[in-house]
Amino acid sequence: MLKNKLVVGNWKVHFTVPESTVAIEKLKKSLGTVKKVEIVICPGFLDIYPASAELIDTNLVLGAQNVFQKEEGAYTGEVSVVALAHFVKYVLVGHSERRLLFSESDRVIAQKAAVVVAHGLTPIICVGETLHEKEDGLSKIVVVNQVEAALSHLTALEIENIVIAYEPVWAIGSGQLCQVSDAEKMAQDLRNVIKALYGEKAAKGVRILYGGSVDQKNAKSFAQSKTLDGVLVGGASLDHKAFVEIVKEFESKKK
Ligand code: 13P
């Protein structure tokens, strides 16, 4: 089955609730006619509830930027998948900022991916090597290990429907874009590993995105890729014009 391309905006820690309402209003106006691309916005937790009402009957869906690995309990300050499940379809899991700044381990990321799937949501599992790892020639081994660990609690059938985002850490927010051919090579390596571990259906079904310094100027080359299933956009998703242009690059491409 052909799946639509996916363009995901990760707003990170930007926008107050009123600001996010304005941004969503602009996106709705500009993207109402888009049909072939699945558009996902990941605002901050506080914005999710009002945004969910604003997005009813639109072609935009919501994602969360993080989730706690347990469903409920005495975990002050965390956000449960049970609460999120009413409002979002996707959840970013294991973003490199969570791994590096909040010490999220592969073990915790695997638990998060599993709890997200168990509640009928789709994890967007983020993986990527640091600059040091890239310079040491370790990109493939690092990323493959991250993926193997993150998928360890999922079945082949579940993996068929998840999303993986290859986001090299050195490309995030740096303006240093990964070559499309390198991102495609990594995506192919990941599919090969998934095929070996979980079978062909899982390898074909899983969607693999690229993220890291994607903007309206370079989006076209990713939109044209036959190997990549879309992009995960940080900074450029905060500028509604830039984000709309990125989505439209994907909309105008045939799969
Ligand atoms: P930038 O697009 O700002 O590089 O961020 C990428 C990212 O981290 C998306 O999750």
Side-chain angles (χ1 to χ4, degrees):
M1 190 186 75
L2 280 186
K3 293 186 178 174
N4 280 341
K5 295 259 181 174
L6 197 53
V7 176
V8 185
N10 175 8
W11 285 358
K12 305 192 180 181
V13 184
H14 297 284
F15 292 165
T16 60
V17 171
E19 285 166 350
S20 85
T21 301
V22 172
I24 283 174
E25 214 37 60
K26 288 181 184 163
L27 290 177
K28 275 185 352 189
K29 275 200 191 116
S30 311
L31 295 174
T33 56
V34 170
K35 295 218 162 55
K36 290 185 282 184
V37 184
E38 191 172 358
I39 311 160
V40 184
I41 307 294
C42 302
F45 282 127
L46 214 53
D47 301 334
I48 284 177
Y49 177 64
S52 70
E54 289 151 12
L55 294 182
I56 289 171
D57 291 332
T58 72
N59 56 343
L60 279 78
V61 298
L62 284 174
Q65 296 174 19
N66 185 28
V67 68
F68 191 55
Q69 60 269 30
K70 299 263 171 64
E71 284 145 337
E72 65 173 334
Y75 306 108
T76 303
E78 292 295 334
V79 175
S80 157
V81 69
V82 181
L84 285 174
H86 294 280
F87 307 111
V88 306
K89 183 169 173 198
Y90 290 91
V91 182
L92 300 184
V93 172
H95 191 283
S96 63
E97 286 149 19
R98 304 283 330 158
R99 293 177 190 261
L100 297 170
L101 304 174
F102 303 96
S103 307
E104 274 190 19
S105 64
D106 282 337
R107 198 177 128 264
V108 162
I109 290 161
Q111 290 171 345
K112 290 187 177 196
V115 86
V116 167
V117 169
H119 286 268
L121 305 180
T122 304
I124 300 175
I125 298 169
C126 303
V127 293
E129 80 284 8
T130 62
L131 184 59
H132 276 304
E133 289 162 343
K134 175 180 150 68
E135 285 171 349
D136 288 347
L138 298 173
S139 302
K140 180 174 169 186
I141 187 152
V142 166
V143 174
V144 165
N145 282 344
Q146 288 174 342
V147 167
E148 282 189 22
L151 303 186
S152 59
H153 298 327
L154 302 179
T155 65
L157 196 63
E158 288 166 342
I159 291 167
E160 222 178 295
N161 292 305
I162 65 156
V163 181
I164 293 173
Y166 172 51
E167 295 205 301
V169 178
W170 49 269
I172 294 178
S174 64
Q176 251 189 296
L177 192 71
C178 176
Q179 295 293 314
V180 180
S181 54
D182 290 342
E184 287 177 328
K185 167 102 182 46
M186 186 63 83
Q188 196 50 56
D189 287 340
L190 294 179
R191 278 191 210 283
N192 293 343
V193 169
I194 292 172
K195 185 173 169 189
L197 293 174
Y198 298 97
E200 183 144 17
K201 270 185 95 184
K204 276 199 173 142
V206 63
R207 283 179 290 174
I208 302 184
L209 313 181
Y210 168 77
S213 295
V214 174
D215 62 21
Q216 66 280 28
K217 292 188 212 91
N218 58 40
K220 188 173 186 165
S221 53
F222 291 99
Q224 280 168 335
S225 169
K226 289 203 164 55
T227 315
L228 298 165
D229 299 292
V231 283
L232 175 52
V233 186
S237 72
L238 298 172
D239 171 352
H240 95 275
K241 284 194 183 134
F243 191 66
V244 167
E245 279 185 45
I246 293 168
V247 172
K248 293 205 163 158
E249 289 293 356
F250 281 83
E251 176 75 353
S252 61
K253 292 290 158 249
K254 297 215 171 65
K255 178 117 186 170

